Structures are given as C-alpha cells and as structure tokens.
Amino acid sequence: MSKLTLGSYPHLLGFEQLERLLERTAKSGNEGYPPFNIEQTSDHSYRITLAVAGFGEDDLAITVEDRQLVIRGRQKDDSDGRIFLHRGIAARQFQRTFVLADGVEVGEAIMENGLLHVDLTRSVPETIVQTINIKKG
C-alpha cells in the first residue's frame, strides 16, 4: 500500500511546505510535560496555557523560529545543601513546539499562579478576486 501525500492530489498545488510542516511536527518529540491547554478566545484569537509550576520568568524562553512557537523551560539547580526525603515536584527542562499558520502572530505572554499564558491572534486576509486575461496563441 502506498503512502498518500498532499502531492498525490492534483488539485492541491503548492502545499508541499504544509506536508513538511506536518512531518516536522510529528517528529518534534513533544512529550506530555508540561501539560497545556489551547483555547479559542475570540473568532481570531487563541491562548496557549502551560502549567509551569516552579518555573520563574527567568527560567522560561519563548521564541518564534521558522513559523513555530517554541517555549523552553530550564530551572536552575537549587538543591545545594538540601536533603530531599521525597522529590515529586518535577524540575526538569522542557521544550514545547507549536506550528503557526500563516497570519498567526504571537502577542503577549503572562505568568500567573504557575500558569504561562501566551496569546495568539490570526489576521483575516481580505478576499481578492483576480481576473486573468486570455491571450491568443
């Protein structure tokens, strides 16, 4: 059985980049940590919320790289001289990646009660009708 690709559909022209984005997202290795929510806050805006308890603003980095929102967390090791009888609070580094569609812009990021909120807005492209003249050959 052959693998179906977007290139297999003759009416979908120029979607090769979308196929590469899907493959890259599948390989990104996002594990289940930290947990997150994605909510639609209006017709053209979204909010990603990550549970980052124990992380401070200085422990987090948010970047946009090649149409991907990348959120990284790395805590400093503050266990010097401390003896843990049980350590159940995760203190590991993480990287979460979200692929952004064309026209999606990253807004502000807010840290609140151990939750990191990242707001996104999607601009609505205007509809353009273009008439193509036919020349005699």
Side-chain angles (χ1 to χ4, degrees), residues 3-6 16-29 99:
K3 176 182 169 187
L4 287 180
T5 63
L6 292 176
E16 297 81 15
Q17 185 175 357
L18 177 60
E19 189 167 15
R20 285 191 296 274
L21 276 172
L22 290 172
E23 288 175 3
R24 187 170 59 190
T25 301
K27 294 177 185 176
S28 69
V99 176

PDB file of all heavy atoms in Angstrom, residues 3-6 16-29 99:
ATOM      1  N   LYS A   3       1.891   5.274   0.416  1.00  0.00           N
ATOM      2  CA  LYS A   3       1.581   6.371   1.326  1.00  0.00           C
ATOM      3  C   LYS A   3       0.961   7.524   0.546  1.00  0.00           C
ATOM      4  O   LYS A   3       1.479   7.946  -0.473  1.00  0.00           O
ATOM      5  CB  LYS A   3       2.876   6.831   2.004  1.00  0.00           C
ATOM      6  CG  LYS A   3       2.715   8.015   2.897  1.00  0.00           C
ATOM      7  CD  LYS A   3       4.059   8.421   3.466  1.00  0.00           C
ATOM      8  CE  LYS A   3       3.952   9.752   4.154  1.00  0.00           C
ATOM      9  NZ  LYS A   3       5.242  10.257   4.572  1.00  0.00           N
ATOM     10  N   LEU A   4      -0.184   8.024   1.027  1.00  0.00           N
ATOM     11  CA  LEU A   4      -0.819   9.166   0.383  1.00  0.00           C
ATOM     12  C   LEU A   4      -0.160  10.439   0.886  1.00  0.00           C
ATOM     13  O   LEU A   4       0.050  10.624   2.078  1.00  0.00           O
ATOM     14  CB  LEU A   4      -2.313   9.206   0.698  1.00  0.00           C
ATOM     15  CG  LEU A   4      -3.179   8.168   0.000  1.00  0.00           C
ATOM     16  CD1 LEU A   4      -4.630   8.325   0.409  1.00  0.00           C
ATOM     17  CD2 LEU A   4      -3.072   8.307  -1.506  1.00  0.00           C
ATOM     18  N   THR A   5       0.186  11.306  -0.031  1.00  0.00           N
ATOM     19  CA  THR A   5       0.765  12.595   0.317  1.00  0.00           C
ATOM     20  C   THR A   5      -0.097  13.688  -0.299  1.00  0.00           C
ATOM     21  O   THR A   5      -0.946  13.409  -1.151  1.00  0.00           O
ATOM     22  CB  THR A   5       2.204  12.716  -0.213  1.00  0.00           C
ATOM     23  OG1 THR A   5       2.168  12.663  -1.640  1.00  0.00           O
ATOM     24  CG2 THR A   5       3.085  11.600   0.321  1.00  0.00           C
ATOM     25  N   LEU A   6       0.133  14.927   0.124  1.00  0.00           N
ATOM     26  CA  LEU A   6      -0.621  16.028  -0.466  1.00  0.00           C
ATOM     27  C   LEU A   6      -0.307  16.162  -1.948  1.00  0.00           C
ATOM     28  O   LEU A   6      -1.142  16.607  -2.724  1.00  0.00           O
ATOM     29  CB  LEU A   6      -0.306  17.331   0.267  1.00  0.00           C
ATOM     30  CG  LEU A   6      -0.812  17.409   1.709  1.00  0.00           C
ATOM     31  CD1 LEU A   6      -0.357  18.701   2.364  1.00  0.00           C
ATOM     32  CD2 LEU A   6      -2.317  17.299   1.777  1.00  0.00           C
ATOM     33  N   GLU A  16       3.266  21.576  -0.671  1.00  0.00           N
ATOM     34  CA  GLU A  16       4.394  20.734  -0.251  1.00  0.00           C
ATOM     35  C   GLU A  16       4.945  21.192   1.092  1.00  0.00           C
ATOM     36  O   GLU A  16       5.337  20.392   1.929  1.00  0.00           O
ATOM     37  CB  GLU A  16       5.508  20.753  -1.302  1.00  0.00           C
ATOM     38  CG  GLU A  16       5.118  20.189  -2.646  1.00  0.00           C
ATOM     39  CD  GLU A  16       4.349  21.185  -3.519  1.00  0.00           C
ATOM     40  OE1 GLU A  16       4.336  22.403  -3.231  1.00  0.00           O
ATOM     41  OE2 GLU A  16       3.737  20.721  -4.505  1.00  0.00           O
ATOM     42  N   GLN A  17       4.980  22.514   1.320  1.00  0.00           N
ATOM     43  CA  GLN A  17       5.501  23.041   2.577  1.00  0.00           C
ATOM     44  C   GLN A  17       4.617  22.622   3.750  1.00  0.00           C
ATOM     45  O   GLN A  17       5.104  22.321   4.836  1.00  0.00           O
ATOM     46  CB  GLN A  17       5.603  24.558   2.518  1.00  0.00           C
ATOM     47  CG  GLN A  17       6.241  25.143   3.752  1.00  0.00           C
ATOM     48  CD  GLN A  17       6.455  26.639   3.650  1.00  0.00           C
ATOM     49  OE1 GLN A  17       6.171  27.253   2.634  1.00  0.00           O
ATOM     50  NE2 GLN A  17       6.963  27.226   4.705  1.00  0.00           N
ATOM     51  N   LEU A  18       3.307  22.559   3.540  1.00  0.00           N
ATOM     52  CA  LEU A  18       2.403  22.116   4.588  1.00  0.00           C
ATOM     53  C   LEU A  18       2.694  20.667   4.965  1.00  0.00           C
ATOM     54  O   LEU A  18       2.710  20.307   6.146  1.00  0.00           O
ATOM     55  CB  LEU A  18       0.945  22.259   4.137  1.00  0.00           C
ATOM     56  CG  LEU A  18      -0.124  21.773   5.113  1.00  0.00           C
ATOM     57  CD1 LEU A  18      -0.051  22.534   6.423  1.00  0.00           C
ATOM     58  CD2 LEU A  18      -1.497  21.902   4.492  1.00  0.00           C
ATOM     59  N   GLU A  19       2.961  19.852   3.978  1.00  0.00           N
ATOM     60  CA  GLU A  19       3.297  18.456   4.237  1.00  0.00           C
ATOM     61  C   GLU A  19       4.586  18.345   5.061  1.00  0.00           C
ATOM     62  O   GLU A  19       4.676  17.567   6.003  1.00  0.00           O
ATOM     63  CB  GLU A  19       3.439  17.701   2.920  1.00  0.00           C
ATOM     64  CG  GLU A  19       3.573  16.215   3.106  1.00  0.00           C
ATOM     65  CD  GLU A  19       3.395  15.475   1.796  1.00  0.00           C
ATOM     66  OE1 GLU A  19       3.440  16.094   0.722  1.00  0.00           O
ATOM     67  OE2 GLU A  19       3.209  14.256   1.857  1.00  0.00           O
ATOM     68  N   ARG A  20       5.576  19.157   4.731  1.00  0.00           N
ATOM     69  CA  ARG A  20       6.826  19.158   5.505  1.00  0.00           C
ATOM     70  C   ARG A  20       6.578  19.630   6.935  1.00  0.00           C
ATOM     71  O   ARG A  20       7.161  19.100   7.886  1.00  0.00           O
ATOM     72  CB  ARG A  20       7.870  20.043   4.824  1.00  0.00           C
ATOM     73  CG  ARG A  20       8.480  19.397   3.586  1.00  0.00           C
ATOM     74  CD  ARG A  20       9.699  20.174   3.094  1.00  0.00           C
ATOM     75  NE  ARG A  20       9.377  21.522   2.654  1.00  0.00           N
ATOM     76  CZ  ARG A  20       8.965  21.843   1.421  1.00  0.00           C
ATOM     77  NH1 ARG A  20       8.844  20.901   0.509  1.00  0.00           N
ATOM     78  NH2 ARG A  20       8.709  23.096   1.098  1.00  0.00           N
ATOM     79  N   LEU A  21       5.701  20.623   7.116  1.00  0.00           N
ATOM     80  CA  LEU A  21       5.361  21.087   8.463  1.00  0.00           C
ATOM     81  C   LEU A  21       4.705  19.980   9.283  1.00  0.00           C
ATOM     82  O   LEU A  21       5.005  19.805  10.461  1.00  0.00           O
ATOM     83  CB  LEU A  21       4.415  22.286   8.388  1.00  0.00           C
ATOM     84  CG  LEU A  21       5.035  23.647   8.189  1.00  0.00           C
ATOM     85  CD1 LEU A  21       3.957  24.696   7.948  1.00  0.00           C
ATOM     86  CD2 LEU A  21       5.886  24.033   9.372  1.00  0.00           C
ATOM     87  N   LEU A  22       3.814  19.231   8.655  1.00  0.00           N
ATOM     88  CA  LEU A  22       3.145  18.135   9.361  1.00  0.00           C
ATOM     89  C   LEU A  22       4.143  17.059   9.777  1.00  0.00           C
ATOM     90  O   LEU A  22       4.087  16.539  10.892  1.00  0.00           O
ATOM     91  CB  LEU A  22       2.038  17.532   8.484  1.00  0.00           C
ATOM     92  CG  LEU A  22       0.817  18.414   8.265  1.00  0.00           C
ATOM     93  CD1 LEU A  22      -0.105  17.796   7.225  1.00  0.00           C
ATOM     94  CD2 LEU A  22       0.074  18.645   9.568  1.00  0.00           C
ATOM     95  N   GLU A  23       5.064  16.737   8.888  1.00  0.00           N
ATOM     96  CA  GLU A  23       6.081  15.738   9.218  1.00  0.00           C
ATOM     97  C   GLU A  23       6.994  16.228  10.332  1.00  0.00           C
ATOM     98  O   GLU A  23       7.324  15.486  11.248  1.00  0.00           O
ATOM     99  CB  GLU A  23       6.910  15.398   7.978  1.00  0.00           C
ATOM    100  CG  GLU A  23       6.159  14.588   6.958  1.00  0.00           C
ATOM    101  CD  GLU A  23       6.945  14.360   5.685  1.00  0.00           C
ATOM    102  OE1 GLU A  23       8.122  14.797   5.606  1.00  0.00           O
ATOM    103  OE2 GLU A  23       6.388  13.748   4.762  1.00  0.00           O
ATOM    104  N   ARG A  24       7.382  17.504  10.279  1.00  0.00           N
ATOM    105  CA  ARG A  24       8.254  18.066  11.309  1.00  0.00           C
ATOM    106  C   ARG A  24       7.551  18.097  12.668  1.00  0.00           C
ATOM    107  O   ARG A  24       8.159  17.815  13.693  1.00  0.00           O
ATOM    108  CB  ARG A  24       8.691  19.474  10.897  1.00  0.00           C
ATOM    109  CG  ARG A  24       9.725  20.061  11.820  1.00  0.00           C
ATOM    110  CD  ARG A  24      10.302  21.323  11.269  1.00  0.00           C
ATOM    111  NE  ARG A  24       9.264  22.314  11.044  1.00  0.00           N
ATOM    112  CZ  ARG A  24       9.457  23.447  10.391  1.00  0.00           C
ATOM    113  NH1 ARG A  24      10.633  23.726   9.894  1.00  0.00           N
ATOM    114  NH2 ARG A  24       8.483  24.304  10.236  1.00  0.00           N
ATOM    115  N   THR A  25       6.267  18.408  12.668  1.00  0.00           N
ATOM    116  CA  THR A  25       5.511  18.433  13.917  1.00  0.00           C
ATOM    117  C   THR A  25       5.398  17.036  14.507  1.00  0.00           C
ATOM    118  O   THR A  25       5.526  16.852  15.718  1.00  0.00           O
ATOM    119  CB  THR A  25       4.108  19.013  13.682  1.00  0.00           C
ATOM    120  OG1 THR A  25       4.249  20.325  13.154  1.00  0.00           O
ATOM    121  CG2 THR A  25       3.324  19.080  14.963  1.00  0.00           C
ATOM    122  N   ALA A  26       5.187  16.044  13.667  1.00  0.00           N
ATOM    123  CA  ALA A  26       5.077  14.669  14.153  1.00  0.00           C
ATOM    124  C   ALA A  26       6.386  14.190  14.759  1.00  0.00           C
ATOM    125  O   ALA A  26       6.395  13.396  15.698  1.00  0.00           O
ATOM    126  CB  ALA A  26       4.657  13.748  13.012  1.00  0.00           C
ATOM    127  N   LYS A  27       7.516  14.705  14.267  1.00  0.00           N
ATOM    128  CA  LYS A  27       8.825  14.285  14.757  1.00  0.00           C
ATOM    129  C   LYS A  27       9.354  15.162  15.884  1.00  0.00           C
ATOM    130  O   LYS A  27      10.437  14.922  16.384  1.00  0.00           O
ATOM    131  CB  LYS A  27       9.845  14.328  13.613  1.00  0.00           C
ATOM    132  CG  LYS A  27       9.575  13.332  12.525  1.00  0.00           C
ATOM    133  CD  LYS A  27      10.581  13.502  11.406  1.00  0.00           C
ATOM    134  CE  LYS A  27      10.260  12.593  10.243  1.00  0.00           C
ATOM    135  NZ  LYS A  27      11.164  12.814   9.115  1.00  0.00           N
ATOM    136  N   SER A  28       8.609  16.199  16.281  1.00  0.00           N
ATOM    137  CA  SER A  28       9.150  17.171  17.225  1.00  0.00           C
ATOM    138  C   SER A  28       9.366  16.596  18.620  1.00  0.00           C
ATOM    139  O   SER A  28      10.072  17.185  19.420  1.00  0.00           O
ATOM    140  CB  SER A  28       8.240  18.397  17.306  1.00  0.00           C
ATOM    141  OG  SER A  28       7.016  18.058  17.934  1.00  0.00           O
ATOM    142  N   GLY A  29       8.766  15.459  18.922  1.00  0.00           N
ATOM    143  CA  GLY A  29       9.044  14.805  20.195  1.00  0.00           C
ATOM    144  C   GLY A  29       8.424  15.487  21.394  1.00  0.00           C
ATOM    145  O   GLY A  29       8.928  15.356  22.498  1.00  0.00           O
ATOM    146  N   VAL A  99       3.225  24.688  15.807  1.00  0.00           N
ATOM    147  CA  VAL A  99       3.358  25.197  14.438  1.00  0.00           C
ATOM    148  C   VAL A  99       2.302  26.276  14.229  1.00  0.00           C
ATOM    149  O   VAL A  99       1.127  26.071  14.540  1.00  0.00           O
ATOM    150  CB  VAL A  99       3.191  24.062  13.406  1.00  0.00           C
ATOM    151  CG1 VAL A  99       3.244  24.612  11.988  1.00  0.00           C
ATOM    152  CG2 VAL A  99       4.260  23.000  13.609  1.00  0.00           C
TER     153      VAL A  99
END
